[in-house]
Amino acid sequence: QPEPTPPPPQEPPQLLWGVDTASKLDQAFLQCVIDNYGKPSVFGRYLETKEGVSTGLTPDEVELLHQQGIKIIPIYNHFTNATVYENGVKEAQEAIAYAQQLGIPEGKAIFADIEPTYPVDEAFIRGWVATLLGSPYKPGIYGVFTNDSTLTAAYQAAITVNQNVQSKTIIWSSNSDLGVTPQVNAPEFQPGAPANVPVSIWQYGIDGEACNIDTNLIQSTILDFLW
């Protein structure tokens, strides 16, 4: 009886470089990013305009990015309080409606933008995740997932109640101590989150001086969930 051959080692996911912005995107803005930082594989943009905070993704922007082969991370930021299960449900429903209006195809993730100043609890996270899982889309969460953040504590409480929060939710963590870099100088993928927070996108730099962008590293394993 021959010895069974061990399975081949898993290839580590490839890392892609990308950016996100709250600004309106046009050809000149994209050229600014390419000239100063490199060509992004992925571009994070917001669903619908939030007055004084972010301009909403338009069909023209979608076409511009897709013509360049750039994938979009859809971000939803129309709330400032991330507490209570029913609120998580309600915000997810609004995000789904925006995504459908834009024509985002099924199977793509929508990221709830939970800023560090927002109150957050595990119930909101579960409401968001459960509602997205019951929709054509996938749940994503953006925020600061460092060891001592309130978001991390809420997330860890949520996964003890509902395993889907951990196994079926894409996590985009902002830990921007390293600062913005061009693509060629991007760091190793070390988002600095606890072991039970599976970070797939790491925002490692914010507020680039040339063009208003933040810089990210994205694991190739989640590309199918981006638009």
Side-chain angles (χ1 to χ4, degrees):
Q1 188 74 5
E3 285 289 301
T5 52
Q10 284 295 94
E11 286 287 305
Q14 285 181 294
L15 286 180
L16 299 154
W17 182 82
V19 299
D20 64 87
T21 188
S23 301
K24 184 171 175 8
L25 178 65
D26 57 18
Q27 186 65 55
F29 189 106
L30 187 56
Q31 201 56 50
C32 174
V33 175
I34 292 168
D35 292 347
N36 286 283
Y37 302 103
K39 183 177 176 187
S41 299
V42 171
F43 214 115
R45 287 290 287 115
Y46 291 87
L47 296 176
E48 294 288 315
T49 294
K50 184 174 180 179
E51 208 52 53
V53 177
S54 53
T55 67
L57 178 63
T58 65
D60 286 348
E61 292 182 42
V62 173
E63 189 180 352
L64 174 65
L65 291 168
H66 285 171
Q67 278 176 346
Q68 298 275 344
I70 299 170
K71 292 211 161 215
I72 298 166
I73 313 175
I75 310 162
Y76 176 78
N77 67 336
H78 293 261
F79 61 95
T80 53
N81 183 329
T83 63
V84 186
Y85 188 90
E86 290 71 21
N87 284 344
V89 171
K90 183 171 74 66
E91 298 301 340
Q93 288 168 339
E94 194 169 328
I96 291 160
Y98 286 156
Q100 288 174 327
Q101 279 165 14
L102 255 182
I104 298 180
E106 63 181 61
K108 304 306 177 188
I110 304 172
F111 288 80
D113 174 2
I114 302 178
E115 293 288 327
T117 53
Y118 296 178
V120 59
D121 67 11
E122 59 85 28
F124 179 95
I125 293 172
R126 286 188 297 109
W128 172 265
V129 168
T131 307
L132 263 302
L133 285 176
S135 83
Y137 302 111
K138 303 273 183 232
I141 297 172
Y142 162 91
V144 176
F145 284 93
T146 48
N147 280 306
D148 52 355
S149 77
T150 53
L151 178 55
T152 297
Y155 173 87
Q156 288 173 327
I159 63 181
T160 63
V161 183
N162 185 344
Q163 191 45 45
N164 285 337
V165 172
Q166 188 179 42
S167 60
K168 297 186 174 171
T169 307
I170 300 173
I171 299 298
W172 178 4
S173 183
S174 178
N175 183 356
S176 56
D177 299 349
L178 291 176
V180 166
T181 72
Q183 179 174 7
V184 291
N185 299 336
E188 298 280 299
F189 191 85
Q190 294 175 325
N196 66 345
V197 183
V199 175
S200 300
I201 307 174
W202 173 31
Q203 186 183 64
Y204 69 84
I206 58 171
D207 300 332
E209 287 190 12
C211 11
N212 175 33
I213 52 128
D214 308 322
T215 50
N216 300 275
L217 287 171
I218 300 101
Q219 293 186 334
S220 58
T221 43
I222 62 147
L223 268 187
D224 286 350
F225 303 117
L226 305 181
W227 187 22

